[in-house]
């Protein structure tokens, strides 16, 4: 099921539930989000329950919440600095998006292409569903009503923070694990030495959002992890015309090049062996991963688990088993045309945290 479909269903279902919860004076997890554009005394209390982080700041240009070329759903965590100092996205609880470049030095070479075998395929989410089962094919119609808050690049250690729809369900029928999307077998990158020689600065962009985002009641606002030091909350400009100025809510402009023209794509060829990894989830009745509960990996893939009647897991852990690694050879890096900085991207950002 796509995020758009799930989010729409969740919003419809959770709206009535949240109204009931507010009417009953329920105090639920995560009161970090505002209600609509209301900011002062007399504003309604925020809807709370499912956003484990915070709601991204919505667009505002001083007169309107709609600005051509921007969407509140195109939120990125952006870091700018020397290439050798670039932190990983995972260390900030985000997933990698793409690197861009600033301050070209002497563009006298193509950056060398590096190819490495994948040794990881970690879980990106563990969702809990109600109203279906893995074994009979009804899992697709089961509504996502809870999710464990797993970190980016999760190593599988015990996780007990769980975010549920309001009001929280008493039990769950199944759990589904989703792994981070990775290219099969090999991954590619540019030589850091070459990037450092060609560019003065790197612009690292990272993305992540929370599927159960009923807290973020502005229609397109996203629930995102907090910004780590040095990162900025930014909106990507996707308009056709030239960007004249950033909106008031995101006043700082960050622009960068896409790369070096005259260089082929960095690709990899898998020349021998094969890449195979297995993963599995274990659910627990307590919050410290000491009381494992029965579950059935119906597909045998570590993705869909039928839970016993009345199950309400309080924590989860994961195991990863690497069975074999492919051998990878890089393709690309030889000059094929005039060397020059090419492409451009623009982000409008809030000040660094």
């Amino acid at each position: 099921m796509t995020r758009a479909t799930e989010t729409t269903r969740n919003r419809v279902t959770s709206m009535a539930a949240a109204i009931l919860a507010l009417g009953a004076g329920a105090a639920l997890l995560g009161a970090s989000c505002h209600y609509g554009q209301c900011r002062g005394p007399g504003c309604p209390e925020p809807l709370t329950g499912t956003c484990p982080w915070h709601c991204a700041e919505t667009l505002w240009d001083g007169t309107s919440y709609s600005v051509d070329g921007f969407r509140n759903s195109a939120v990125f965590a952006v870091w700018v600095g020397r290439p050798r100092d670039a932190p990983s996205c995972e260390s900030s609880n985000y997933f990698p998006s793409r690197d861009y470049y600033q301050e070209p030095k002497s563009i006298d070479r193509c950056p060398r292409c590096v190819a490495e075998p994948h040794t990881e395929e970690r879980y990106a989410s563990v969702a809990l569903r109600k109203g279906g089962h893995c074994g009979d094919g009804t899992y697709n119609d089961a509504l996502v009503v809870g999710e464990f808050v797993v970190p980016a690049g999760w190593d599988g250690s015990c996780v007990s923070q769980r975010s549920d729809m309001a009001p929280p369900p008493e039990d769950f029928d199944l759990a589904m694990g989703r792994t981070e999307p990775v290219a099969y077998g090999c991954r590619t990158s540019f030589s850091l030495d070459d990037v450092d020689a060609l560019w003065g600065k790197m612009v690292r962009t990272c993305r992540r959002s929370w599927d159960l985002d009923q807290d973020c009641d502005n229609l397109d606002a996203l629930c995102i992890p907090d910004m780590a030091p040095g990162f900025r909350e930014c909106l990507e400009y996707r308009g056709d015309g030239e960007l004249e100025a950033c909106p008031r809510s995101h006043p700082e402009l960050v622009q960068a090049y896409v790369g070096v023209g005259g260089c082929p794509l960095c690709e990899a060829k898998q020349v021998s062996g094969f890449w195979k990894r297995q993963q599995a989830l274990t659910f627990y009745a307590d919050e410290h991963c000491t009381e494992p509960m029965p579950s059935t990996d119906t597909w045998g893939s570590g993705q869909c688990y039928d839970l016993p009647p009345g199950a309400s897991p309080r924590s989860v852990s994961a195991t990863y088993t690497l069975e074999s690694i492919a051998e990878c050879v890089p393709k690309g890096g030889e000059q094929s045309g005039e060397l020059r900085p090419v492409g451009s991207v623009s982000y409008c950002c809030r000040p660094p945290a």
Side-chain angles (χ1 to χ4, degrees):
M1 183 181 295
T2 64
R3 181 191 184 280
T5 302
E6 287 186 354
T7 301
T8 301
R9 292 178 60 185
N10 288 339
R11 288 192 188 282
V12 173
T13 304
S14 62
M15 185 177 297
I19 292 172
L20 291 175
L22 289 171
L28 300 173
L29 155 72
S32 61
C33 304
H34 56 73
Y35 186 84
Q37 300 298 337
C38 187
R39 293 290 197 276
C43 292
E45 287 296 316
L47 305 182
T48 59
T50 58
C51 177
W53 305 312
H54 79 277
C55 295
E57 186 68 23
T58 49
L59 192 68
W60 171 249
D61 71 352
T63 59
S64 172
Y65 299 114
S66 177
V67 181
D68 288 343
F70 291 96
R71 295 202 315 268
N72 286 319
S73 58
V75 180
F76 290 81
V78 175
W79 178 91
V80 181
R82 296 192 310 170
R84 290 193 175 276
D85 296 335
S88 69
C89 293
E90 290 89 348
S91 67
S92 301
N93 203 18
Y94 278 81
F95 298 120
S97 179
R98 184 168 177 176
D99 292 336
Y100 301 97
Y101 310 96
Q102 292 179 337
E103 299 179 4
K105 299 179 182 179
S106 177
I107 306 296
D108 59 358
R109 75 188 82 168
C110 289
R112 284 169 292 175
C113 181
V114 177
E116 301 172 293
H118 278 295
T119 58
E120 301 174 342
E121 188 182 30
R122 299 184 182 274
Y123 284 102
S125 67
V126 181
L128 299 167
R129 297 190 178 211
K130 183 78 173 175
H133 297 283
C134 305
D136 60 11
T138 58
Y139 65 91
N140 229 8
D141 296 322
L143 185 66
V144 177
V145 290
E147 190 165 332
F148 282 103
V149 185
V150 302
W154 183 31
D155 64 2
S157 57
C158 186
V159 169
S160 60
Q161 183 181 357
R162 199 182 79 189
S163 183
D164 298 330
M165 289 179 62
E170 295 181 357
D171 58 4
F172 304 92
D173 294 322
L174 70 138
M176 296 198 73
R178 179 175 59 85
T179 54
E180 300 173 26
V182 296
Y184 181 78
C186 304
R187 62 185 173 200
T188 60
S189 62
F190 290 120
S191 161
L192 183 56
D193 288 340
D194 289 347
V195 171
D196 201 43
L198 295 170
W199 305 99
K201 289 184 179 179
M202 174 187 288
V203 177
R204 173 150 289 174
T205 65
C206 314
R207 296 196 79 175
R208 192 176 189 187
S209 62
W210 190 248
D211 287 349
L212 294 176
D213 57 359
Q214 72 183 74
D215 284 3
C216 300
D217 52 330
N218 294 306
L219 286 179
D220 290 325
L222 293 184
C223 174
I224 60 173
D226 295 333
M227 292 292 120
F231 280 86
R232 284 179 266 189
E233 182 181 317
C234 303
L235 294 177
E236 183 182 10
Y237 175 67
R238 297 179 176 177
D240 295 328
E242 183 177 350
L243 178 62
E244 296 181 359
C246 285
R248 182 183 299 181
S249 59
H250 298 72
E252 299 185 5
L253 176 63
V254 174
Q255 292 181 306
Y257 292 103
V258 172
V260 178
C263 300
L265 293 176
C266 180
E267 299 176 314
K269 180 180 180 181
Q270 185 174 317
V271 295
S272 66
F274 62 96
W275 178 79
K276 186 176 181 181
R277 183 164 192 134
Q278 293 185 342
Q279 60 278 329
L281 295 169
T282 303
F283 302 93
Y284 303 86
D286 68 314
E287 295 184 350
H288 305 288
C289 295
T290 61
E291 302 175 19
M293 57 191 306
S295 62
T296 305
D297 183 357
T298 305
W299 300 348
S301 63
Q303 294 180 333
C304 195
Y305 292 81
D306 281 313
L307 301 174
S312 184
R314 298 298 178 187
S315 58
V316 64
S317 66
T319 57
Y320 306 101
T321 304
L322 181 64
E323 296 186 350
S324 61
I325 302 177
E327 182 181 350
C328 303
V329 173
K331 297 171 55 182
E334 299 297 328
Q335 181 177 345
S336 59
E338 178 189 358
L339 299 180
R340 66 199 188 284
V342 295
S344 64
V345 292
S346 298
Y347 292 88
C348 288
C349 304
R350 298 183 57 74

